[in-house]
Every structure is written in structure tokens, then in C-alpha cells.
């Protein structure tokens, strides 16, 4: 699915199942919560923390999908076309950083 299709699918889901979008501040808080859940899994799976009983059944893929869902909600409700935004962002990064990372001794 394309990013545009994902935005439409999420919009349809909200209208059919979610009644309406939560307001932007609520969705920002939810996004922060979901990113925290991703961080928790990363810290345990790739970092030095050990898993707790409450972590059982948590999947990184599912938590990343939660982040993406809420991010798409925020884009939809603020009128942002994520395809265009990502294209512009990649252009900015390319013009700004095309040589920066290649010259970074820490990455060699």
C-alpha cells in the first residue's frame, strides 16, 4: 500500500470504527505513549534491560504500527499529505547531508 492509501484507509477506519478523530493534543499524547512502548521493547531486546512479565506478548512490529497509525491520524487531521511531506523532507536531507555522513569518521 502507498502512503496515500494508508492515509485513506486510516481515515475510513476512523469514520467507520472510531466515530471521530481524537483532538490533536490527545493524539500527540497517544503518539508519545506509543513511541515509549517502542523504546521499552528496543531497550529490552537490543539494550541491557531485561524483559518483565508485563512485556510478554509485546511485538516491536505491532508497536511500530501503532506509532504509524497515530502519526497518520495527526497528518490526516492537520491536512498534511505525508507522501509530499516525505518527498520534500528527503530532498532537504539530500541537499543538506549528501556529503556530511560520508565524511563522518565515526561512521567508518
Amino acid at each position: 500500500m502507498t502512503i496515500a492509501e494508508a492515509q485513506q484507509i486510516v481515515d475510513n477506519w476512523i469514520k467507520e470504527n472510531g466515530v471521530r478523530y481524537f483532538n490533536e493534543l490527545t493524539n500527540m499524547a497517544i503518539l508519545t505513549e506509543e513511541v515509549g512502548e517502542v523504546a521499552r521493547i528496543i531497550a529490552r531486546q537490543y539494550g541491557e534491560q531485561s524483559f518483565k512479565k508485563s512485556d510478554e506478548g509485546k511485538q516491536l512490529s505491532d508497536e511500530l504500527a501503532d506509532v504509524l497509525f497515530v502519526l497518520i491520524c495527526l497528518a490526516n487531521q492537520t491536512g498534511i499529505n505525508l507522501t509530499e511531506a516525505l518527498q520534500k523532507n528527503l530532498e532537504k536531507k539530500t541537499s543538506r547531508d549528501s556529503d556530511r555522513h560520508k565524511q563522518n569518521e565515526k561512521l567508518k
Side-chain angles (χ1 to χ4, degrees), residues 99-108:
D99 291 324
R100 179 174 151 231
H101 299 300
K102 293 174 189 171
Q103 296 171 7
N104 183 346
E105 290 298 319
K106 297 176 188 178
L107 297 177
K108 294 183 179 178

Side-chain angles (χ1 to χ4, degrees), residues 31-73:
L31 179 62
T32 303
E33 178 184 351
E34 296 299 349
V35 169
E37 291 177 15
V38 168
R40 181 182 188 102
I41 291 172
I42 296 282
R44 283 156 175 71
Q45 191 166 340
Y46 301 101
E48 290 142 353
Q49 287 191 326
S50 58
F51 282 93
K52 296 179 182 179
K53 200 83 165 146
S54 60
D55 298 323
E56 288 180 8
K58 302 276 184 175
Q59 297 294 320
L60 181 58
S61 59
D62 187 49
E63 299 305 333
L64 286 171
D66 284 343
V67 169
L68 183 58
F69 182 88
V70 180
L71 183 68
I72 290 172
C73 286

Side-chain angles (χ1 to χ4, degrees), residues 5-23:
E5 289 170 338
Q7 284 194 254
Q8 187 59 60
I9 288 167
V10 168
D11 191 61
N12 291 343
W13 189 92
I14 292 293
K15 290 173 181 170
E16 293 171 13
N17 300 289
V19 180
R20 64 170 178 80
Y21 286 94
F22 294 130
N23 70 42

Side-chain angles (χ1 to χ4, degrees), residues 67-105:
V67 169
L68 183 58
F69 182 88
V70 180
L71 183 68
I72 290 172
C73 286
L74 281 166
N76 284 352
Q77 67 192 131
T78 58
I80 293 171
N81 177 317
L82 284 173
T83 301
E84 290 175 7
L86 182 58
Q87 287 170 336
K88 288 178 184 176
N89 187 268
L90 287 169
E91 289 168 9
K92 175 187 76 174
K93 284 177 179 16
T94 300
S95 67
R96 181 189 67 199
D97 300 331
S98 61
D99 291 324
R100 179 174 151 231
H101 299 300
K102 293 174 189 171
Q103 296 171 7
N104 183 346
E105 290 298 319

